[in-house]
Amino acid sequence: MMTVKQVSDISGVSIRTLRYYDRIGLLSPAEHTEAGYRLYDDAALERLQQILLFRELEFPLKDIIAIMESPTYDRKQALAQQIELLELKRQHLDDLIAFARGIKMIGVRAVDFSAFDTSKIDEYTKRAKEKWGNTKAYEEFSHKKRTSEENERLMEDFAQLFAEFGELKGGSPESSEAQAMVKKLQGFITEHFYTCTDEILSGLGKMYAADSEFREHINSAGGKGTAEFAAKAIAVYCGE
């Protein structure tokens, strides 16, 4: 048997929350001492683990009670479903991480941030998910599924492009070599992220030179002045 404090220590759930769970009938102690202190056995701890998994999936307490008190509740089946939903949540987070890296590296700031699906994964209660308007560019970007390792390699390849820009920055942005690099950059973005039209490319070029964060990131790959050179080469390519 474990006291409420011991359970709190090993689970990270506050004593106040454990008492609240008892009060609403979600998690009751196995017994009480003569002094009235709660004591929890292995079965109670196992139930707490199930509760915490549901909470990690952002299920409301009332739904957790309804699920776990249902006569058809099957612990093994519920665990399998929890694993599946956690994997979906992990994929969602991987997508957000990839998108954030895109914002940092290639300027996906042009994309409407309402494109994020902010709804919670909730297959049990079948709640309607919110749908936000997506831009075409983001739709293309979000449908490209990659592992975290693939994303890291992609960012390395993208940085290499600016390293190549850096090797040319001593020359003219109008040179055939510089213009070929711009074309290569546009093709890379189109292949791996979204269709990079001349209009989008022009906006990215302006952002590379004007935004301190982008400028610093690009210059770290190609050396000081690379971001400004790439921006000028892009402007020439786009006929500005």
Side-chain angles (χ1 to χ4, degrees):
M1 291 287 187
M2 300 183 71
T3 66
V4 68
K5 184 180 185 308
Q6 289 172 323
V7 173
S8 177
D9 288 342
I10 67 169
S11 68
V13 180
S14 70
I15 294 175
R16 181 178 180 181
T17 297
L18 290 170
R19 289 171 177 167
Y20 178 69
Y21 285 176
D22 183 15
R23 189 161 64 250
I24 64 176
L26 179 59
L27 178 68
S28 300
E31 59 184 72
H32 293 79
T33 67
E34 293 183 1
Y37 293 109
R38 296 171 174 82
L39 294 176
Y40 296 83
D41 59 8
D42 289 344
L45 294 178
E46 185 179 284
R47 183 177 174 91
L48 178 58
Q49 289 176 335
Q50 297 171 55
I51 293 168
L52 293 180
L53 283 172
F54 280 122
R55 292 297 289 156
E56 187 65 31
L57 290 165
E58 302 181 54
F59 278 66
L61 291 177
K62 62 182 181 62
D63 290 350
I64 298 175
I65 294 174
I67 292 169
M68 297 187 70
E69 292 302 317
S70 170
T72 60
Y73 178 69
D74 184 299
R75 175 181 168 275
K76 290 184 178 180
Q77 182 180 16
L79 182 59
Q81 291 172 325
Q82 287 169 333
I83 292 171
E84 182 179 356
L85 290 175
L86 286 168
E87 288 175 343
L88 288 173
K89 184 175 181 179
R90 179 178 62 185
Q91 181 61 57
H92 177 64
L93 289 174
D94 285 343
D95 290 343
L96 289 179
I97 291 170
F99 183 70
R101 283 176 173 160
I103 293 172
K104 183 176 182 181
M105 175 64 79
I106 62 174
V108 194
R109 292 180 180 180
V111 175
D112 184 357
F113 276 88
S114 64
F116 283 106
D117 180 3
T118 59
S119 60
K120 299 173 182 179
I121 300 171
D122 197 349
E123 292 185 1
Y124 284 94
T125 57
K126 304 297 182 183
R127 292 181 299 182
K129 295 182 177 180
E130 286 184 296
K131 295 297 181 181
W132 298 88
N134 293 330
T135 63
K136 183 179 179 180
Y138 177 73
E139 287 177 354
E140 289 186 56
F141 184 85
S142 63
H143 289 148
K144 294 181 184 295
K145 304 298 183 184
R146 287 182 284 262
T147 65
S148 58
E149 290 79 10
E150 288 172 333
N151 280 320
E152 288 179 7
R153 287 196 298 271
L154 190 60
M155 290 300 103
E156 290 174 359
D157 291 343
F158 200 79
Q160 179 59 34
L161 288 177
F162 288 106
E164 294 176 26
F165 265 112
E167 295 174 358
L168 301 174
K169 67 178 183 291
S172 169
E174 298 179 359
S175 68
S176 59
E177 294 84 0
Q179 292 303 295
M181 275 305 305
V182 175
K183 185 175 182 180
K184 184 176 180 180
L185 172 67
Q186 185 179 37
F188 186 90
I189 295 173
T190 295
E191 179 182 357
H192 298 288
F193 297 98
Y194 51 74
T195 301
C196 185
T197 64
D198 286 356
E199 181 181 3
I200 290 177
L201 182 64
S202 174
L204 291 176
K206 292 181 175 66
M207 192 178 299
Y208 291 160
D211 187 285
S212 60
E213 184 177 354
F214 287 122
R215 188 167 60 247
E216 179 181 353
H217 196 81
I218 292 171
N219 288 345
S220 69
K224 185 177 180 180
T226 300
E228 291 81 356
F229 178 81
K232 291 177 181 178
I234 290 172
V236 172
Y237 183 88
C238 295
E240 298 174 4

